[in-house]
Amino acid sequence: MILESILPPERTLFGVAGGSKKRVLEFFSTFIAQNTPSLDSQEVFGRLIGRERLGSTGIGNGVAIPHARNPHCKEPIAGFLRLQEPIDFDATDGDPVDLIFVLLVPEEADDAHLSLLAQVAAIMNDSAIRTKLRQAQTQRQLYDTLIEAIRQHDNSAN
């Protein structure tokens, strides 16, 4: 599964208003449901919040990777948000989060989907990539930076 193929430019959002973890997850759930007819925003939100209750997806260094399984998700769906202001996400290091990579996978997600999470974590753990993402001035620049990082990771993994 190629991460680049599940993250189109229109799902890379720049300067999203934060507020709180709940508000950001509600925003993404509404956004993704508007763009994916098979998904219901309340169900997506419920599953993302349910996953957060098991343990925060804030992995540290200002990054969170909220993810959930969804029975109406036919194939993995990714979204990336850079917030205007960092928010508390109960991250492992206690730092506020401003870079959020959301991943929805089918209910019967297998090892391929777990590898997507591992890819995202590896990319987002790179401090140089995080710096470039935070320095992006436009939505397009943010997307291009993220795709370049994904391609570099894919090439180094092969």
Side-chain angles (χ1 to χ4, degrees):
M1 178 63 58
I2 299 172
L3 194 52
E4 180 179 352
S5 69
I6 64 170
L7 182 67
E10 63 272 15
R11 286 204 301 261
T12 302
L13 306 176
F14 178 84
V16 175
S20 68
K21 179 196 299 196
K22 181 178 181 231
R23 197 168 295 152
V24 168
L25 294 177
E26 280 177 331
F27 168 83
F28 178 80
S29 300
T30 301
F31 170 78
I32 202 68
Q34 288 171 344
N35 293 282
T36 313
S38 65
L39 297 179
D40 174 73
S41 65
Q42 289 302 311
E43 182 179 22
V44 171
F45 175 70
R47 287 178 177 269
L48 288 170
I49 282 291
R51 171 58 191 83
E52 289 299 320
R53 286 191 188 112
L54 297 175
S56 176
T57 58
I59 63 168
N61 298 306
V63 175
I65 310 174
H67 55 279
R69 295 173 188 259
N70 188 299
H72 301 107
C73 200
K74 304 297 177 241
E75 54 191 13
I77 296 172
F80 184 78
L81 298 82
R82 191 178 94 191
L83 304 181
Q84 286 175 356
E85 299 288 330
I87 60 168
D88 179 25
F89 217 89
D90 303 314
T92 54
D93 62 1
D95 287 350
V97 164
D98 63 340
L99 301 174
I100 302 176
F101 201 113
V102 188
L103 195 58
L104 300 177
V105 298
E107 191 71 52
E108 65 286 348
D110 57 15
D111 291 345
H113 302 119
L114 295 176
S115 80
L116 284 174
L117 268 177
Q119 286 176 53
V120 172
I123 291 162
M124 300 310 289
N125 275 326
D126 184 316
S127 63
I129 292 170
R130 290 192 309 272
T131 298
K132 285 181 185 176
L133 291 169
R134 290 183 173 115
Q135 290 173 341
Q137 298 295 308
T138 65
Q139 183 271 340
R140 187 68 209 197
Q141 193 178 19
L142 184 66
Y143 176 77
D144 290 345
T145 301
L146 189 55
I147 292 303
E148 180 185 330
I150 290 168
R151 287 178 182 158
Q152 284 176 349
H153 176 268
D154 288 348
N155 289 338
S156 67
N158 292 337

